Every structure is written in C-alpha cells, then in structure tokens.
Amino acid sequence: MLDYIWIDGDLPILSQLSNDFNSAAVLFHPFIQMPSGWEKSKRENPYQHIYPSDEEMLKLGEPVSWKEVMGKCNLKSYKELSIALQHLTGVPSDEYKKLASYVKSNPDFYYPEEVNTSLFILNSLVKILCSKGANTLYFSEPIHDTNGSFKVNDMSSIEIANLSPNESIITDEKMDFAFMGIYDSFITLLLAKDTNIEDTIKSLNLEAFICDKETYLYSII
C-alpha cells in the first residue's frame, strides 16, 4: 500500500518521491466545452450555479486543453493560466480577468475539475497503471485516513473518480505507476518507476509537463 505523498511546492518534485519512483509528470485537467445552448437549457433562474455532472460531462462534453485556452485568453504560460484559476475566489488577478472575460463570453464553457482527477484523462491513467498486467489497483486518502483496493473491471471511471472527495493516490499492484490529485490545483501528478515517462504520456495524447530534477510545483502552477 502506498501512502499519499504530500508535495512541498517550493522543493523539486522528484526529490520528494519515494525510491520506487524515478520520473513524474504534471497532467493538466482539461477545461470543459458543452454543446451550444446547453447552459441555457439547464438554467431555471439567473442566480443558479450550473456545472455539468460527471455523466453529462462524459456524454456531451469535449475536453479543451490548457494550451488552447492560453491562446484564446492571451496567457503566455501554464503558470499564468494556473494563477488565473487560483483566483476564481478572492481578489481577481490580471490573469484571472483575461480568463473570466473569455468564460463569460462563452456560457457553455466550464473550468476544470479542481481536486479529483478529470474524467477526461482518468481512463488513460488507468490504462497506464494496468499497462504491465495489473488487474487490481490500490488507493489511499490521507484526510480521513482511508485506503483500499478494487478490481479495475468492477469499477466505472465515475466510481473511480469519486473514491474520495479529497486528495488521493492510486497505484498498481507492483507500484510501477501512481497518480495523485493535489487539492485546489486543477492538476494530477503521474509517477513512474521508468525513467522515461514522456513516451507514455505522448502515446495517450495527454497534456503534461515532464518534470526534471529542478522542477518544483510552484514553478508550474
């Protein structure tokens, strides 16, 4: 069983991992584009908070990459877009104002999932964890100190995504890979024993930042 790894944002990510893992990648949770008119069809009053359910997102939604949003909002880096997302509450930043202006003009466009791994990338991550023959995955959730295991074929992606409302880490039987959500960050961290994680990322077309020995979390988000 692998316990959740608390990452200090001011220290290199790779230096904080256990000896089991030699590489890491920051995966960006996609934004959500719903069909034109979807928001209007759901709205019952002007003050209603509307956000697609897991089922609606999978059935009707389309993922939108951070790079595409950066281009539309004139934001120059993942860091700037992350700053914009971090200011969804509190004092608006200049980065947030650019993002908010775009979102306001596109009523069927929604922010990414903050904590739990996005459903748009979850199936790809499960494929990675099972790529060396694993059939059982293990999870650990630190806030309530809960952990357990499940057979991959017995769980839907929505059920896996909702194993915990907080941060959690999921790994395979041999701990060849693991992925973990980081609270209020809009990202998932993928860990691997293999030193070359980039080929794995590219094969599944995931938007990611590959960590080197100098990469620390706050340099990206």
Side-chain angles (χ1 to χ4, degrees):
M1 184 68 66
L2 178 65
D3 289 332
Y4 187 84
I5 304 169
W6 294 103
I7 299 294
D8 186 326
D10 292 314
L11 296 174
I13 292 171
L14 293 179
S15 70
Q16 301 179 66
L17 305 181
S18 69
N19 293 332
D20 294 310
F21 299 112
N22 298 301
S23 60
V26 173
L27 307 179
F28 301 99
H29 296 176
F31 288 75
I32 305 161
Q33 180 65 61
M34 297 299 285
S36 177
W38 182 85
E39 189 267 353
K40 185 177 181 180
S41 72
K42 302 289 287 187
R43 183 165 297 284
E44 297 177 356
N45 64 72
Y47 309 104
Q48 183 181 3
H49 174 70
I50 296 175
Y51 192 85
S53 67
D54 290 344
E55 291 81 5
E56 290 168 333
M57 187 190 313
L58 283 179
K59 184 178 180 180
L60 300 172
E62 293 290 337
V64 181
S65 72
W66 282 40
K67 281 193 174 180
E68 184 175 344
V69 174
M70 285 156 52
K72 293 180 182 297
C73 299
N74 196 28
L75 296 169
K76 297 179 174 59
S77 66
Y78 288 126
K79 177 71 173 180
E80 285 193 0
L81 182 48
S82 179
I83 290 172
L85 289 168
Q86 299 298 333
H87 284 80
L88 292 179
T89 59
V91 180
S93 65
D94 290 339
E95 294 86 356
Y96 168 76
K97 291 175 183 176
K98 292 178 181 179
L99 176 60
S101 176
Y102 176 74
V103 173
K104 186 176 181 180
S105 65
N106 293 272
D108 298 305
F109 183 81
Y110 295 89
Y111 297 114
E113 172 62 51
E114 293 179 58
V115 181
N116 293 337
T117 297
S118 169
L119 285 166
F120 285 137
I121 66 172
L122 185 59
N123 280 341
S124 293
L125 291 173
V126 171
K127 285 181 182 178
I128 292 173
L129 266 60
C130 296
S131 62
K132 296 190 177 183
N135 296 308
T136 301
L137 301 183
Y138 296 84
F139 70 92
S140 175
E141 186 271 306
I143 302 300
H144 299 103
D145 193 25
T146 59
N147 54 68
S149 64
F150 59 92
K151 296 289 185 181
V152 174
N153 292 335
D154 293 341
M155 297 276 282
S156 70
S157 57
I158 292 177
E159 289 172 322
I160 295 173
N162 290 291
L163 282 169
S164 167
N166 308 299
E167 303 97 326
S168 64
I169 188 167
I170 298 179
T171 186
D172 60 278
E173 298 157 327
K174 297 181 180 179
M175 291 195 294
D176 288 313
F177 301 97
F179 66 88
M180 50 187 275
I182 298 177
Y183 189 72
D184 276 355
S185 68
F186 305 91
I187 65 163
T188 289
L189 193 61
L190 175 64
L191 315 175
K193 279 184 179 178
D194 298 336
T195 54
N196 186 7
I197 200 174
E198 189 167 2
D199 290 342
T200 301
I201 297 294
K202 287 181 177 179
S203 69
L204 293 169
N205 197 31
L206 295 168
E207 185 178 23
F209 186 96
I210 308 301
C211 301
D212 60 28
K213 291 182 179 180
E214 304 300 321
T215 303
Y216 56 97
L217 197 59
Y218 289 162
S219 67
I220 306 168
I221 65 170

